[in-house]
Amino acid sequence: MAFTVRDFEDLTRLLDKHPEWLEALRQRLLTKELLQVPKTLRGLSTRMGKVEKSLESLSQTVQTLAQSVAALAEAQRRHYEEFAAHRQEFLAYRQETERRFAELAEAQRRTEERVGRLEEAVAALAEAQRRHYEEFAAHRQEFLAYREETERRFAQLREELATYRAETDRRFAELAEAQRRTEERVGRLEEAVAALAEAQRRHYEEFAAHRQEFLAYREETERRFAELAEAQRQTQLQIQELVQTVGEIRSDLGHMRSTLDRFAQVIGSAVEERMIPALRAWVESQGGTLLGPVVSMTLDGIGEVDGVAQVRWPDGREGWLLVTAKTKVWPRSIEEFVKEILTHPQARRALREKGVRDPVWPVVFGLTIDDRAPKAADTAKVGLLSSQEGIIVPPVPWSLEQGTFLSD
């Protein structure tokens, strides 16, 4: 039969009269799971309290970590500012050093032009400076590579922090598992931060050592500059002494040159006096006739011909004799006569302007003759005349217009 409202009211009145029946009725109406709900809620409330405490502790840890990272970043910034200031100081000092080296190199170049003995010392100094700069450049490259690695590790740390935040947000629903994983990651991050701080400390120690090395290097450079300046001063004193000595030598050479010039004039006049009769005797022996006196001819600073005379030969040909006189005739004497008179364009033009016309017969006269001179004269097509033996190599006609000998 159906259970009606009246029955329910009767049941309610009975339960009011017998409260002990409520527990039995509850056991009949509620399932085991529903009976465990209050206990479960109390346990869940307890766990939620623990989770909230863990979250609060985690928040404090993250805040502490953020403060540590900020402090480390501030220390890195101050360190970089110190490094930048030191680098500016180093660049300014290096620029000043290079400027001073440039000035010193210029002074040294002038010194080397006057005193050749300083060249090896300056070259050794330049080589040592180059090696020092190469060593410093290599050290600077190592330092830049280390700084780049530090910045890369900072970037990696920032990336890990960002990943950590994303991971925390994504797994917040799984509180217990997320708590365990977060604590593990926080531990690793603390280790990474500690390692980074240690690396930073070592970096600063290396920087301090490098700065001490730089200060020592600068002190050594200043000392070497002082030594070089003293060497320069000593060199200047030596140069002054050398200039004084050279002045005395030049004075003695001037007196000697004046004496030699007077002696050369005397010897030259004597050789030319011997040349004229020897030349006349040779022309007459060939049946020729000198149509004028044998004179010397200066070619306006280009050179000088010791003997110039117009001649007529037995066959009726007329021309000019060009004679250079030497105390002793060497092969080079003949080569110089050909190069400086017979083939020289300005000398040939000057002879034509003074009235000398083609053909000409070039002759080299000497008081004595080197044994190689006849062959050189025959090859050059130039006559060779001795004061004692007469003509040794007969001359052939030349053309001043063409600057070469003429074929018979």
Side-chain angles (χ1 to χ4, degrees):
M1 96 184 149
F3 188 79
T4 63
V5 175
R6 183 183 297 272
D7 295 331
F8 181 76
E9 292 176 354
D10 293 338
L11 178 62
T12 303
R13 285 193 298 270
L14 288 174
L15 291 175
D16 290 337
K17 292 179 180 181
H18 302 282
E20 66 275 9
W21 292 358
L22 288 174
E23 183 62 27
L25 180 62
R26 187 181 295 113
Q27 295 291 334
R28 296 292 185 89
L29 294 178
L30 300 178
T31 63
K32 184 179 181 181
E33 289 78 8
L34 290 177
L35 291 174
Q36 294 294 328
V37 166
K39 184 178 180 180
T40 302
L41 289 176
R42 287 192 300 270
L44 181 60
S45 176
T46 302
R47 294 179 61 188
M48 285 297 294
K50 293 181 179 180
V51 169
E52 288 176 357
K53 292 181 179 180
S54 298
L55 288 176
E56 182 179 357
S57 176
L58 176 62
S59 176
Q60 293 177 355
T61 303
V62 171
Q63 184 178 2
T64 302
L65 180 61
Q67 293 175 354
S68 300
V69 172
L72 186 61
E74 177 64 20
Q76 176 67 15
R77 182 188 64 79
R78 291 196 303 271
H79 174 65
Y80 185 78
E81 289 177 353
E82 292 178 4
F83 171 75
H86 169 67
R87 184 181 181 187
Q88 291 298 324
E89 178 184 358
F90 169 73
L91 292 176
Y93 176 75
R94 186 178 66 181
Q95 183 177 5
E96 176 65 16
T97 301
E98 292 176 352
R99 182 187 65 77
R100 294 177 66 184
F101 266 118
E103 294 176 356
L104 186 60
E106 177 63 19
Q108 194 67 17
R109 184 187 64 80
R110 293 193 298 268
T111 302
E112 287 175 356
E113 292 177 354
R114 303 176 69 183
V115 182
R117 294 191 298 271
L118 293 178
E119 182 176 1
E120 295 181 0
V122 174
L125 179 62
E127 177 62 20
Q129 179 65 19
R130 184 188 63 79
R131 290 196 303 269
H132 291 165
Y133 185 80
E134 288 179 352
E135 292 174 0
F136 179 77
H139 176 71
R140 183 169 177 267
Q141 290 298 324
E142 292 178 359
F143 175 75
L144 291 177
Y146 177 78
R147 188 182 66 181
E148 182 179 354
E149 177 63 19
T150 302
E151 293 177 351
R152 185 189 64 79
R153 293 181 67 183
F154 267 111
Q156 182 179 359
L157 178 60
R158 287 193 296 268
E159 184 179 357
E160 289 182 359
L161 286 174
T163 304
Y164 165 71
R165 290 170 182 169
E167 184 70 11
T168 302
D169 293 337
R170 187 179 67 84
R171 298 188 177 183
F172 187 73
E174 303 174 359
L175 295 177
E177 182 66 19
Q179 175 67 20
R180 185 182 62 80
R181 295 182 181 179
T182 300
E183 290 176 355
E184 292 178 355
R185 292 186 61 84
V186 168
R188 289 196 297 271
L189 283 174
E190 289 176 347
E191 293 177 358
V193 170
L196 186 60
E198 177 64 20
Q200 179 68 19
R201 184 188 62 79
R202 291 196 303 270
H203 184 188
Y204 187 79
E205 289 178 353
E206 292 177 2
F207 168 74
H210 165 68
R211 186 172 185 180
Q212 290 298 324
E213 181 181 356
F214 166 73
L215 293 176
Y217 171 75
R218 183 173 64 181
E219 182 179 354
E220 176 66 15
T221 302
E222 293 293 339
R223 184 186 65 77
R224 295 178 68 186
F225 265 124
E227 292 178 355
L228 191 57
E230 177 63 21
Q232 180 71 14
R233 189 183 65 81
Q234 294 294 331
T235 301
Q236 292 295 335
L237 294 176
Q238 294 177 3
I239 289 175
Q240 292 176 0
E241 295 177 359
L242 182 61
V243 168
Q244 183 177 359
T245 303
V246 169
E248 296 174 356
I249 293 174
R250 285 180 176 175
S251 178
D252 294 340
L253 288 177
H255 294 301
M256 184 180 296
R257 187 178 295 108
S258 177
T259 302
L260 290 175
D261 289 342
R262 290 194 298 271
F263 180 74
Q265 291 176 359
V266 173
I267 295 297
S269 300
V271 173
E272 291 175 2
E273 288 179 0
R274 300 281 295 276
M275 173 196 69
I276 294 175
L279 184 64
R280 287 184 179 275
W282 169 66
V283 171
E284 292 174 357
S285 69
Q286 299 298 314
T289 304
L290 293 178
L291 303 180
V294 180
V295 297
S296 63
M297 188 173 291
T298 302
L299 306 180
D300 298 330
I302 301 174
E304 182 179 4
V305 181
D306 299 321
V308 179
Q310 193 173 8
V311 65
R312 179 187 297 123
W313 299 109
D315 57 3
R317 289 186 300 169
E318 293 185 2
W320 294 78
L321 293 172
L322 302 181
V323 186
T324 181
K326 303 291 182 181
T327 303
K328 183 174 183 178
V329 180
W330 302 89
R332 66 173 178 274
S333 305
I334 299 170
E335 295 172 359
E336 291 173 356
F337 184 45
V338 173
K339 181 178 180 181
E340 298 176 1
I341 301 298
L342 300 179
T343 61
H344 195 282
Q346 287 80 8
R348 292 187 288 112
R349 183 168 58 251
L351 286 170
R352 293 197 303 271
E353 291 175 353
K354 291 180 178 292
V356 179
R357 298 290 179 265
D358 289 340
V360 297
W361 283 268
V363 178
V364 178
F365 170 79
L367 298 180
T368 58
I369 306 296
D370 182 76
D371 62 339
R372 297 165 294 177
K375 182 177 180 181
D378 183 65
T379 302
K381 305 299 181 183
V382 173
L384 182 60
L385 180 62
S386 171
S387 63
Q388 299 295 328
E389 301 179 12
I391 196 72
I392 297 177
V393 177
V396 298
W398 278 64
S399 171
L400 293 178
E401 186 71 30
Q402 300 176 7
T404 184
F405 61 90
L406 301 174
S407 301
D408 294 336

